[in-house]
Amino acid sequence: MAKRRKVNNMLGLAVLATVIERPMHPYEMASLVRARGKDDDMRIKWGSLYTVVRNLEKHGFLEVAGSDKEGGHPERTIYRITDAGRQEYADWVRDLLATPEREQSAFKAALSVWGILTPDEVTSLLRGRVALLEKELADQRAALNGHLSEIPRLFLVEAEYDLAVREAELAWTRSLLGELSEGTFPGLDAWRHWHATGEVPQELHDLFGRGIGAD
Amino acid sequence: MAKRRKVNNMLGLAVLATVIERPMHPYEMASLVRARGKDDDMRIKWGSLYTVVRNLEKHGFLEVAGSDKEGGHPERTIYRITDAGRQEYADWVRDLLATPEREQSAFKAALSVWGILTPDEVTSLLRGRVALLEKELADQRAALNGHLSEIPRLFLVEAEYDLAVREAELAWTRSLLGELSEGTFPGLDAWRHWHATGEVPQELHDLFGRGIGAD
DNA sequence: CCTCCTTTACTCGCCTACGAATATACGTCC
DNA sequence: GGACGTATATTCGTAGGCGAGTAAAGGAGG
């Protein structure tokens, strides 16, 4: 049901996942997440870290296990996960796995308004996107294969998932690009004409009256 | 380059996309976005709307075109897009189209820590996810086909994109689920053993010493 | 024509997110 | 050994996000 969590920030999940091992101070949690390469999944914002930890404590998912003053001045506070915290953690993961969430994508938003650019410009921009994506994906795939040789898949499924989804994105974009550059995308002329003359072509005209896309 | 925008909220893009047509007041922008079915892409948060509009004005992308007092008390302020606003709008769209952004997904985060659940529970949760996803996608596909019969594809690519990506997600999840339920996913026994006895299996043991996933 | 519900339209205020500043310890290179 | 860069740890300020509250207007029943 994707209920609203007391602590919603995904960084909180990373914190719980880390501190469940043993009590530690916030900075150490972040370091561990980073060391394990999971910071790629849940980008660490240093400003948020301490807020999130404090919130987790406020809601009883963490508790202070003492504070460490030796060495560094900044008096580090050590946190320990509580039973409620373990509960919340597992529950959260269950929820995330079971409930498909519609995440909003920037690219999708851009596609929904691409009409303000000319088809030719769009084509060239998408060509750039595809090139970048190809390169990124090649690197990503190489990195994954490298890791797979020393780490069990159990700890790498999220990377496999990410790769699969991005590959689908690439494939889709490529096919769209094909339609655009070969001129088979329907309405291309009207689109071009509209930008050239500023006048709305007949076939689009009535759509502007009511809301475009309205049922 | 994905530069940091003065106004970063995607709702701002929706606002610009709407107010570019003609001057209007914030509520009308939101209504139009909703009427056009684009609220699916950029979910409208009423609290954010006015903040975003005010910010767009502060940065010179919108300007006040007068205020309307007739009728409703709440004194509506009419905004008009400026040249800078048109510029920013096009620029923003260009940027979003050309630059693939790594969006962080909740599902991905969950997959990165799925190990705390037992493989059997994960399997059952994913089965649920797949079922939900199938249903949602069937609806989405039907809706898209319905729209395609009356609206040019030009205004529906973002829906096609979304569908394609979510179908890839479904396919990937299905295949993972296959491996899990047929027992072909590597390390299943170790995983199960770990949860049953609480002891870390040999093959995972050395991974916990250093950071898992560290290079 | 009075009541009540919905739609229109916006404001308020809390909470969160996070960049930037801060401050010490720890090497290391000349 | 002192100057300087980098890693360790945390606090602070504040802009922004957004739920919830407010309030008039329009319309539908009785």
Side-chain angles (χ1 to χ4, degrees), chain B residues 68-142:
Chain B
D68 187 357
K69 209 168 198 165
E70 59 155 330
H73 247 206
E75 176 147 23
R76 305 175 294 183
T77 308
I78 313 278
Y79 292 89
R80 169 176 35 229
I81 196 169
T82 63
D83 283 337
R86 262 179 285 266
Q87 183 62 43
E88 170 74 2
Y89 176 43
D91 217 67
W92 196 353
V93 176
R94 275 186 205 109
D95 209 7
L96 292 174
L97 285 181
T99 315
E101 203 89 40
R102 301 207 66 175
E103 331 240 4
Q104 70 121 330
S105 129
F107 185 50
K108 194 182 152 196
L111 284 175
S112 82
V113 294
W114 68 337
I116 39 117
L117 302 180
T118 65
D120 302 297
E121 193 177 9
V122 167
T123 306
S124 125
L125 291 168
L126 288 183
R127 242 192 275 278
R129 184 189 190 82
V130 164
L132 280 174
L133 216 42
E134 271 164 355
K135 196 175 160 1
E136 279 181 29
L137 286 187
D139 293 351
Q140 218 179 310
R141 201 170 313 124

Side-chain angles (χ1 to χ4, degrees), chain A residues 10 13 17 20 35-38 40-42 89-90 93-94 96-114 116-117 121-122 125-126 128-129 132-133 136 140 147 150-155 157-158 160-162 164-166 168-169 172 176 179 185-186 191 204 207-208 210-215, chain B residues 10 13 17 20 35-38 40-42 89-90 93-94 96-114 116-117 121-122 125-126 128-129 132-133 136 140 147 150-155 157-158 160-162 164-166 168-169 172 176 179 185-186 191 204 207-208 210-215:
Chain A
M10 276 299 153
L13 191 71
I20 203 172
R36 294 183 178 167
K38 301 293 192 192
D40 194 58
D41 312 326
M42 303 175 255
Y89 175 44
V93 176
R94 278 188 203 106
L96 292 175
L97 285 180
T99 315
E101 203 89 41
R102 302 207 66 175
E103 331 240 3
Q104 69 121 333
S105 129
F107 184 51
K108 194 181 154 196
L111 284 175
S112 83
V113 294
W114 70 338
I116 39 117
L117 303 179
E121 192 176 10
V122 166
L125 292 168
L126 288 183
R129 182 188 192 85
L132 280 173
L133 216 42
E136 281 181 28
Q140 219 179 310
H147 287 144
E150 43 182 39
I151 301 166
R153 270 185 70 199
L154 181 56
F155 302 110
V157 265
E158 85 279 8
E160 290 184 4
Y161 167 74
D162 194 43
V165 169
R166 299 190 86 202
E169 186 192 320
W172 183 86
L176 177 67
E179 290 186 272
F185 188 90
W191 185 359
L204 305 183
L207 287 170
F208 277 109
R210 57 197 185 104
I212 295 169
D215 302 270
Chain B
M10 275 300 152
L13 191 72
I20 204 172
R36 291 179 182 170
K38 301 294 190 191
D40 195 56
D41 312 325
M42 302 174 257
Y89 176 43
V93 176
R94 275 186 205 109
L96 292 174
L97 285 181
T99 315
E101 203 89 40
R102 301 207 66 175
E103 331 240 4
Q104 70 121 330
S105 129
F107 185 50
K108 194 182 152 196
L111 284 175
S112 82
V113 294
W114 68 337
I116 39 117
L117 302 180
E121 193 177 9
V122 167
L125 291 168
L126 288 183
R129 184 189 190 82
L132 280 174
L133 216 42
E136 279 181 29
Q140 218 179 310
H147 288 143
E150 42 183 41
I151 301 165
R153 270 184 71 198
L154 180 57
F155 301 110
V157 267
E158 85 279 8
E160 289 183 5
Y161 166 74
D162 194 43
V165 170
R166 300 191 85 204
E169 185 191 321
W172 182 86
L176 177 67
E179 289 186 273
F185 188 90
W191 184 1
L204 304 184
L207 287 170
F208 277 110
R210 57 197 186 104
I212 296 170
D215 302 271

Side-chain angles (χ1 to χ4, degrees), chain A residues 61-72:
Chain A
F61 302 138
L62 296 184
E63 64 189 13
V64 174
S67 75
D68 186 358
K69 209 168 196 162
E70 61 156 329

Side-chain angles (χ1 to χ4, degrees), chain A residues 2-18 29-30 33 38-45 48-49 51-53 55-56 88-89 91-97 99-101 103, chain B residues 103-113 129:
Chain A
K3 73 177 150 194
R4 193 181 276 15
R5 303 262 149 204
K6 306 278 190 62
V7 176
N8 238 311
N9 197 322
M10 276 299 153
L11 188 54
L13 191 71
V15 164
L16 289 174
T18 312
M29 303 174 199
V33 169
K38 301 293 192 192
D39 61 330
D40 194 58
D41 312 326
M42 303 175 255
R43 196 118 209 93
I44 294 163
K45 315 296 171 73
S48 307
L49 178 62
T51 315
V52 164
V53 168
N55 279 3
L56 285 170
E88 170 73 3
Y89 175 44
D91 217 67
W92 196 354
V93 176
R94 278 188 203 106
D95 208 7
L96 292 175
L97 285 180
T99 315
E101 203 89 41
E103 331 240 3
Chain B
E103 331 240 4
Q104 70 121 330
S105 129
F107 185 50
K108 194 182 152 196
L111 284 175
S112 82
V113 294
R129 184 189 190 82

Side-chain angles (χ1 to χ4, degrees), chain A residues 170-191:
Chain A
L170 175 58
W172 183 86
T173 310
R174 259 212 207 97
S175 108
L176 177 67
L177 197 48
E179 290 186 272
L180 288 174
S181 35
E182 277 154 44
T184 55
F185 188 90
L188 258 188
D189 291 335
W191 185 359

